[in-house]
Amino acid sequence: MRRRTISRRGLFGQVAGLATAALLPLPAIAETRQVKFTLPWLATGAFSFVYAAQAKGFMQKRGIEMSVARGFGSFASAQSIAAGTFDCGLSAAPAMTLSIAKGLPLIALATIDYDAMMGVGVLADSPIKEPRDLAGKKIASVPTSGEFPFLPAYAQKVGLDLGTVESVHVDNKVLERVLEEKQVDAITNFAATSYAMLLVKGLPTRWMLYSKAGIKNHGHTIAVTKDTLAKDPAFCEAMVEGLLEGVAFVLTNPDEALELFRKQVPELALNPNAKQLTQIELGLWQRSVEHPESRAHGLGWCDPAAFTELTDLCMTYLAQPGMTRPDNDALFTNQFTGKIKLDQTQWTQVRERVSEYDKVFG
């Protein structure tokens, strides 16, 4: 693979199917608890369920008053939870897996979404129609980005010889720009981010997702320390059920959820594209939640097979000396998941709502 560098300059009262969630016995918490919660990144439409859980009182009725902080990447959020800076938070499944392999005493209490949307993106009018068309082309990547280490696994799955590709390493601040200006033929990234950023500028793109090649890459998990789970399972249960009630609310009331989100994150008003951007982000997030795992097992369910495959990928492409391969029991628990469910009609409505993205990510 040849490389060169481009410089930085160059609902619950309204929907019967959620009655099971409304009737769940609440965990016994003696008094209101102040909880510090971290996002894995900036507040985006994909995290509106966290804000909905607050605004709709799902956390408060379980004895939790939650302060939400922005994050600086999933590895950083995992480290800050392990260090006790935060009581709970979100971290992407690959980062959680690697953090646990490094020895951090963390565990995932639930899986929020089932496709991190790692992939290769091209302009909508690009002659590149399938992965093998990337042979002989320039692909830009941010080498520190989470999807980049798994590009060889994707190439192997789709029969692409990376030796025929010119890999261009760029700063994350110019990744979308080099595609927009056609300095490269394609980029790799978490597709939802680049797709939304380019679309609000009037530039549609198409994406070849790693998941479409059969690579399971689940998205964000609710993370706590193993000590917290052992000593305070009632708190863990309350956090999971409150947040998943937020997920259910957003899936069934997306317009109201976006309004609540924008009110709670007033700095979004500084961005003239914020309304369209958050709407796209929320739509793509709904698509990554609407998967067989959540339909069959309820919201939050962690798929053992997916975690096993993800661990294989992490240990093959990202493992460092001193890491120990964790087994599934060390990675996640389904102790609190699957209790909150949507009915078939509601899932059908979600599917219809997100179907507009199928051609883009199909």
Side-chain angles (χ1 to χ4, degrees):
M1 180 186 296
R2 293 176 288 131
R3 296 179 178 170
R4 67 183 181 89
T5 301
I6 288 178
S7 69
R8 183 169 167 182
R9 169 67 189 152
L11 109 162
F12 286 91
Q14 299 174 319
V15 285
L18 294 179
T20 52
L23 296 175
L24 285 174
L26 298 181
I29 297 179
E31 57 185 21
T32 299
R33 175 171 178 169
Q34 300 296 322
V35 172
K36 293 181 292 184
F37 185 92
T38 180
L39 299 174
W41 194 240
L42 296 170
T44 71
F47 304 128
S48 59
F49 69 93
V50 176
Y51 295 88
Q54 281 280 85
K56 298 300 291 185
F58 303 149
M59 308 309 297
Q60 293 87 338
K61 74 181 182 181
R62 292 175 168 87
I64 292 173
E65 196 62 53
M66 191 168 65
S67 61
V68 181
R70 65 149 293 178
F72 295 87
S74 283
F75 281 109
S77 66
Q79 291 167 355
S80 63
I81 295 165
T85 306
F86 294 95
D87 304 291
C88 186
L90 297 177
S91 182
M96 275 287 288
T97 301
L98 276 173
S99 297
I100 293 168
K102 289 180 179 179
L104 293 187
L106 299 168
I107 192 162
L109 300 179
T111 298
I112 297 298
D113 45 273
Y114 296 93
D115 192 341
M117 300 186 73
M118 300 179 184
V120 181
V122 299
L123 298 176
D125 59 359
S126 169
I128 298 171
K129 303 300 182 184
E130 59 181 43
R132 292 187 183 185
D133 294 339
L134 293 166
K137 302 298 192 294
K138 295 178 183 178
I139 304 178
S141 302
V142 179
T144 56
S145 185
E147 91 294 333
F148 181 69
F150 302 121
L151 181 58
Y154 174 72
Q156 183 177 19
K157 286 275 190 180
V158 298
L160 172 65
D161 180 2
L162 285 181
T164 66
V165 171
E166 182 176 351
S167 180
V168 182
H169 290 181
V170 300
D171 186 275
N172 67 329
K173 294 181 178 65
V174 301
L175 179 66
E176 288 80 18
R177 189 195 310 166
V178 295
L179 181 64
E180 179 183 3
E181 296 176 354
K182 298 185 178 181
Q183 297 181 50
V184 297
D185 303 289
I187 60 175
T188 70
N189 200 8
F190 292 90
T193 300
S194 291
Y195 173 78
M197 289 179 64
L198 288 166
L199 190 61
V200 297
K201 297 172 71 173
L203 196 65
T205 52
R206 288 183 286 105
W207 290 81
M208 294 168 278
L209 299 183
Y210 292 3
S211 58
K212 288 296 182 181
I215 297 176
K216 293 182 183 293
N217 58 110
H218 282 187
H220 291 102
T221 64
I222 301 173
V224 297
T225 64
K226 289 182 170 70
D227 187 62
T228 298
L229 175 60
K231 294 181 178 179
D232 205 347
F235 164 71
C236 295
E237 182 179 13
M239 285 299 302
V240 169
E241 291 186 358
L243 289 169
L244 293 182
E245 197 167 347
V247 171
F249 176 81
V250 174
L251 289 172
T252 51
N253 301 271
D255 293 337
E256 182 181 352
L258 271 183
E259 287 303 313
L260 293 172
F261 173 67
R262 291 168 186 150
K263 288 178 181 178
Q264 291 184 86
V265 190
E267 59 267 29
L268 290 174
L270 299 175
N271 182 352
N273 296 319
K275 186 171 184 179
Q276 183 186 7
L277 190 65
T278 54
Q279 189 167 14
I280 296 168
E281 291 165 345
L282 181 60
L284 295 178
W285 172 80
Q286 291 179 81
R287 190 176 188 270
S288 68
V289 178
E290 189 267 322
H291 271 240
E293 295 89 344
S294 53
R295 281 177 170 265
H297 300 279
L299 299 179
W301 186 74
C302 299
D303 180 6
F307 270 89
T308 297
E309 182 174 332
L310 180 58
T311 302
D312 289 340
L313 287 170
C314 288
M315 298 308 291
T316 299
Y317 295 100
L318 292 168
Q320 300 171 356
M323 288 188 181
T324 302
R325 179 192 170 89
D327 59 26
N328 278 350
D329 288 341
L331 293 171
F332 69 88
T333 176
N334 274 318
Q335 183 177 350
F336 311 116
T337 65
K339 299 175 184 177
I340 298 177
K341 302 180 179 182
L342 272 63
D343 63 27
Q344 184 59 46
T345 298
Q346 291 161 339
W347 279 126
T348 299
Q349 291 171 346
V350 176
R351 174 92 288 276
E352 291 174 352
R353 193 182 307 135
V354 303
S355 61
E356 64 178 294
Y357 299 111
D358 288 350
K359 290 184 179 180
V360 175
F361 301 98

mmCIF file of all heavy atoms in Angstrom, residues 199-223:
data_model
loop_
_atom_site.group_PDB
_atom_site.id
_atom_site.type_symbol
_atom_site.label_atom_id
_atom_site.label_comp_id
_atom_site.label_asym_id
_atom_site.label_seq_id
_atom_site.Cartn_x
_atom_site.Cartn_y
_atom_site.Cartn_z
ATOM 1 N N LEU A 199 -23.540 16.128 3.619
ATOM 2 C CA LEU A 199 -24.889 16.329 3.097
ATOM 3 C C LEU A 199 -25.415 17.724 3.426
ATOM 4 O O LEU A 199 -26.108 18.341 2.603
ATOM 5 C CB LEU A 199 -25.834 15.262 3.637
ATOM 6 C CG LEU A 199 -27.218 15.221 2.978
ATOM 7 C CD1 LEU A 199 -27.101 14.926 1.477
ATOM 8 C CD2 LEU A 199 -28.108 14.177 3.641
ATOM 9 N N VAL A 200 -25.107 18.247 4.620
ATOM 10 C CA VAL A 200 -25.596 19.587 4.949
ATOM 11 C C VAL A 200 -24.924 20.643 4.074
ATOM 12 O O VAL A 200 -25.422 21.774 3.974
ATOM 13 C CB VAL A 200 -25.375 19.918 6.445
ATOM 14 C CG1 VAL A 200 -26.164 18.986 7.330
ATOM 15 C CG2 VAL A 200 -23.899 19.921 6.803
ATOM 16 N N LYS A 201 -23.826 20.274 3.423
ATOM 17 C CA LYS A 201 -23.166 21.182 2.478
ATOM 18 C C LYS A 201 -23.666 20.942 1.058
ATOM 19 O O LYS A 201 -23.138 21.523 0.107
ATOM 20 C CB LYS A 201 -21.654 20.974 2.542
ATOM 21 C CG LYS A 201 -21.048 21.313 3.901
ATOM 22 C CD LYS A 201 -19.587 20.910 3.979
ATOM 23 C CE LYS A 201 -18.722 21.805 3.120
ATOM 24 N NZ LYS A 201 -17.279 21.533 3.325
ATOM 25 N N GLY A 202 -24.676 20.071 0.930
ATOM 26 C CA GLY A 202 -25.250 19.792 -0.371
ATOM 27 C C GLY A 202 -24.495 18.767 -1.183
ATOM 28 O O GLY A 202 -24.681 18.681 -2.408
ATOM 29 N N LEU A 203 -23.663 17.965 -0.503
ATOM 30 C CA LEU A 203 -22.843 16.996 -1.210
ATOM 31 C C LEU A 203 -23.204 15.581 -0.755
ATOM 32 O O LEU A 203 -22.739 15.107 0.283
ATOM 33 C CB LEU A 203 -21.360 17.264 -0.928
ATOM 34 C CG LEU A 203 -20.352 16.593 -1.869
ATOM 35 C CD1 LEU A 203 -20.503 17.142 -3.288
ATOM 36 C CD2 LEU A 203 -18.935 16.816 -1.370
ATOM 37 N N PRO A 204 -24.039 14.860 -1.512
ATOM 38 C CA PRO A 204 -24.415 13.497 -1.135
ATOM 39 C C PRO A 204 -23.283 12.505 -1.378
ATOM 40 O O PRO A 204 -22.477 12.668 -2.306
ATOM 41 C CB PRO A 204 -25.621 13.199 -2.035
ATOM 42 C CG PRO A 204 -25.420 14.077 -3.227
ATOM 43 C CD PRO A 204 -24.733 15.320 -2.731
ATOM 44 N N THR A 205 -23.221 11.494 -0.551
ATOM 45 C CA THR A 205 -22.207 10.445 -0.679
ATOM 46 C C THR A 205 -22.871 9.081 -0.595
ATOM 47 O O THR A 205 -24.029 8.948 -0.190
ATOM 48 C CB THR A 205 -21.154 10.553 0.443
ATOM 49 O OG1 THR A 205 -21.809 10.600 1.723
ATOM 50 C CG2 THR A 205 -20.294 11.789 0.276
ATOM 51 N N ARG A 206 -22.116 8.056 -1.008
ATOM 52 C CA ARG A 206 -22.532 6.660 -0.857
ATOM 53 C C ARG A 206 -21.477 5.935 -0.020
ATOM 54 O O ARG A 206 -20.288 6.286 -0.079
ATOM 55 C CB ARG A 206 -22.650 5.963 -2.222
ATOM 56 C CG ARG A 206 -23.829 6.406 -3.063
ATOM 57 C CD ARG A 206 -23.908 5.614 -4.369
ATOM 58 N NE ARG A 206 -22.876 6.025 -5.324
ATOM 59 C CZ ARG A 206 -21.777 5.334 -5.603
ATOM 60 N NH1 ARG A 206 -21.536 4.179 -4.983
ATOM 61 N NH2 ARG A 206 -20.898 5.775 -6.487
ATOM 62 N N TRP A 207 -21.910 4.895 0.714
ATOM 63 C CA TRP A 207 -21.011 4.230 1.648
ATOM 64 C C TRP A 207 -21.060 2.719 1.512
ATOM 65 O O TRP A 207 -22.128 2.132 1.349
ATOM 66 C CB TRP A 207 -21.334 4.646 3.083
ATOM 67 C CG TRP A 207 -20.941 6.066 3.312
ATOM 68 C CD1 TRP A 207 -21.639 7.184 2.970
ATOM 69 C CD2 TRP A 207 -19.705 6.517 3.864
ATOM 70 N NE1 TRP A 207 -20.922 8.309 3.273
ATOM 71 C CE2 TRP A 207 -19.734 7.927 3.831
ATOM 72 C CE3 TRP A 207 -18.600 5.863 4.397
ATOM 73 C CZ2 TRP A 207 -18.672 8.695 4.315
ATOM 74 C CZ3 TRP A 207 -17.548 6.630 4.876
ATOM 75 C CH2 TRP A 207 -17.586 8.031 4.835
ATOM 76 N N MET A 208 -19.885 2.137 1.568
ATOM 77 C CA MET A 208 -19.732 0.681 1.604
ATOM 78 C C MET A 208 -19.337 0.315 3.031
ATOM 79 O O MET A 208 -18.193 0.533 3.453
ATOM 80 C CB MET A 208 -18.667 0.244 0.590
ATOM 81 C CG MET A 208 -19.084 0.507 -0.855
ATOM 82 S SD MET A 208 -17.743 0.320 -2.075
ATOM 83 C CE MET A 208 -16.923 1.922 -1.918
ATOM 84 N N LEU A 209 -20.307 -0.169 3.792
ATOM 85 C CA LEU A 209 -20.091 -0.411 5.215
ATOM 86 C C LEU A 209 -19.380 -1.738 5.457
ATOM 87 O O LEU A 209 -19.628 -2.732 4.774
ATOM 88 C CB LEU A 209 -21.424 -0.411 5.961
ATOM 89 C CG LEU A 209 -22.246 0.883 5.912
ATOM 90 C CD1 LEU A 209 -23.502 0.731 6.755
ATOM 91 C CD2 LEU A 209 -21.427 2.083 6.384
ATOM 92 N N TYR A 210 -18.520 -1.749 6.459
ATOM 93 C CA TYR A 210 -17.857 -2.988 6.856
ATOM 94 C C TYR A 210 -18.889 -4.047 7.225
ATOM 95 O O TYR A 210 -18.706 -5.238 6.961
ATOM 96 C CB TYR A 210 -16.950 -2.742 8.067
ATOM 97 C CG TYR A 210 -15.732 -1.875 7.813
ATOM 98 C CD1 TYR A 210 -15.478 -1.287 6.570
ATOM 99 C CD2 TYR A 210 -14.821 -1.636 8.840
ATOM 100 C CE1 TYR A 210 -14.370 -0.495 6.360
ATOM 101 C CE2 TYR A 210 -13.699 -0.844 8.645
ATOM 102 C CZ TYR A 210 -13.476 -0.272 7.409
ATOM 103 O OH TYR A 210 -12.368 0.510 7.214
ATOM 104 N N SER A 211 -19.985 -3.607 7.835
ATOM 105 C CA SER A 211 -21.008 -4.563 8.273
ATOM 106 C C SER A 211 -21.641 -5.284 7.095
ATOM 107 O O SER A 211 -22.055 -6.453 7.222
ATOM 108 C CB SER A 211 -22.092 -3.846 9.088
ATOM 109 O OG SER A 211 -22.680 -2.804 8.326
ATOM 110 N N LYS A 212 -21.725 -4.627 5.943
ATOM 111 C CA LYS A 212 -22.305 -5.266 4.761
ATOM 112 C C LYS A 212 -21.412 -6.384 4.237
ATOM 113 O O LYS A 212 -21.870 -7.263 3.508
ATOM 114 C CB LYS A 212 -22.553 -4.227 3.665
ATOM 115 C CG LYS A 212 -23.706 -3.287 3.962
ATOM 116 C CD LYS A 212 -25.021 -4.042 4.030
ATOM 117 C CE LYS A 212 -26.183 -3.106 4.276
ATOM 118 N NZ LYS A 212 -27.482 -3.847 4.360
ATOM 119 N N ALA A 213 -20.141 -6.337 4.613
ATOM 120 C CA ALA A 213 -19.212 -7.406 4.225
ATOM 121 C C ALA A 213 -19.189 -8.523 5.266
ATOM 122 O O ALA A 213 -18.419 -9.477 5.134
ATOM 123 C CB ALA A 213 -17.809 -6.840 4.041
ATOM 124 N N GLY A 214 -20.037 -8.396 6.291
ATOM 125 C CA GLY A 214 -20.119 -9.440 7.307
ATOM 126 C C GLY A 214 -19.275 -9.196 8.534
ATOM 127 O O GLY A 214 -19.105 -10.096 9.368
ATOM 128 N N ILE A 215 -18.741 -7.982 8.683
ATOM 129 C CA ILE A 215 -17.938 -7.651 9.864
ATOM 130 C C ILE A 215 -18.838 -6.989 10.896
ATOM 131 O O ILE A 215 -19.337 -5.885 10.689
ATOM 132 C CB ILE A 215 -16.780 -6.710 9.492
ATOM 133 C CG1 ILE A 215 -15.825 -7.399 8.518
ATOM 134 C CG2 ILE A 215 -16.026 -6.255 10.739
ATOM 135 C CD1 ILE A 215 -14.705 -6.504 8.019
ATOM 136 N N LYS A 216 -19.061 -7.671 11.999
ATOM 137 C CA LYS A 216 -19.897 -7.110 13.051
ATOM 138 C C LYS A 216 -19.102 -6.038 13.789
ATOM 139 O O LYS A 216 -18.007 -6.290 14.274
ATOM 140 C CB LYS A 216 -20.339 -8.199 14.026
ATOM 141 C CG LYS A 216 -21.302 -9.230 13.417
ATOM 142 C CD LYS A 216 -21.731 -10.252 14.454
ATOM 143 C CE LYS A 216 -22.636 -11.320 13.863
ATOM 144 N NZ LYS A 216 -23.950 -10.773 13.449
ATOM 145 N N ASN A 217 -19.640 -4.853 13.837
ATOM 146 C CA ASN A 217 -18.972 -3.767 14.564
ATOM 147 C C ASN A 217 -20.020 -2.943 15.298
ATOM 148 O O ASN A 217 -20.445 -1.897 14.860
ATOM 149 C CB ASN A 217 -18.102 -2.911 13.638
ATOM 150 C CG ASN A 217 -18.854 -2.286 12.474
ATOM 151 O OD1 ASN A 217 -19.056 -1.079 12.413
ATOM 152 N ND2 ASN A 217 -19.272 -3.103 11.503
ATOM 153 N N HIS A 218 -20.435 -3.487 16.432
ATOM 154 C CA HIS A 218 -21.476 -2.831 17.204
ATOM 155 C C HIS A 218 -21.033 -1.456 17.677
ATOM 156 O O HIS A 218 -19.840 -1.152 17.767
ATOM 157 C CB HIS A 218 -21.873 -3.704 18.393
ATOM 158 C CG HIS A 218 -22.764 -4.831 17.995
ATOM 159 N ND1 HIS A 218 -23.361 -5.677 18.904
ATOM 160 C CD2 HIS A 218 -23.180 -5.259 16.782
ATOM 161 C CE1 HIS A 218 -24.087 -6.580 18.263
ATOM 162 N NE2 HIS A 218 -23.988 -6.340 16.977
ATOM 163 N N GLY A 219 -22.027 -0.626 17.971
ATOM 164 C CA GLY A 219 -21.763 0.760 18.319
ATOM 165 C C GLY A 219 -21.521 0.973 19.799
ATOM 166 O O GLY A 219 -20.704 0.298 20.417
ATOM 167 N N HIS A 220 -22.273 1.895 20.397
ATOM 168 C CA HIS A 220 -21.981 2.331 21.756
ATOM 169 C C HIS A 220 -22.591 1.414 22.818
ATOM 170 O O HIS A 220 -23.657 0.836 22.624
ATOM 171 C CB HIS A 220 -22.471 3.760 21.951
ATOM 172 C CG HIS A 220 -21.675 4.741 21.163
ATOM 173 N ND1 HIS A 220 -22.134 5.288 19.983
ATOM 174 C CD2 HIS A 220 -20.430 5.247 21.354
ATOM 175 C CE1 HIS A 220 -21.206 6.096 19.495
ATOM 176 N NE2 HIS A 220 -20.160 6.092 20.287
ATOM 177 N N THR A 221 -21.888 1.323 23.906
ATOM 178 C CA THR A 221 -22.333 0.544 25.051
ATOM 179 C C THR A 221 -22.447 1.453 26.268
ATOM 180 O O THR A 221 -21.790 2.500 26.349
ATOM 181 C CB THR A 221 -21.353 -0.594 25.381
ATOM 182 O OG1 THR A 221 -20.094 -0.027 25.785
ATOM 183 C CG2 THR A 221 -21.129 -1.495 24.179
ATOM 184 N N ILE A 222 -23.274 1.048 27.223
ATOM 185 C CA ILE A 222 -23.340 1.723 28.523
ATOM 186 C C ILE A 222 -22.292 1.067 29.409
ATOM 187 O O ILE A 222 -22.347 -0.138 29.671
ATOM 188 C CB ILE A 222 -24.733 1.581 29.153
ATOM 189 C CG1 ILE A 222 -25.802 2.190 28.229
ATOM 190 C CG2 ILE A 222 -24.774 2.258 30.528
ATOM 191 C CD1 ILE A 222 -27.232 1.949 28.703
ATOM 192 N N ALA A 223 -21.342 1.853 29.879
ATOM 193 C CA ALA A 223 -20.187 1.297 30.587
ATOM 194 C C ALA A 223 -20.126 1.756 32.037
ATOM 195 O O ALA A 223 -20.408 2.917 32.353
ATOM 196 C CB ALA A 223 -18.897 1.696 29.882
#
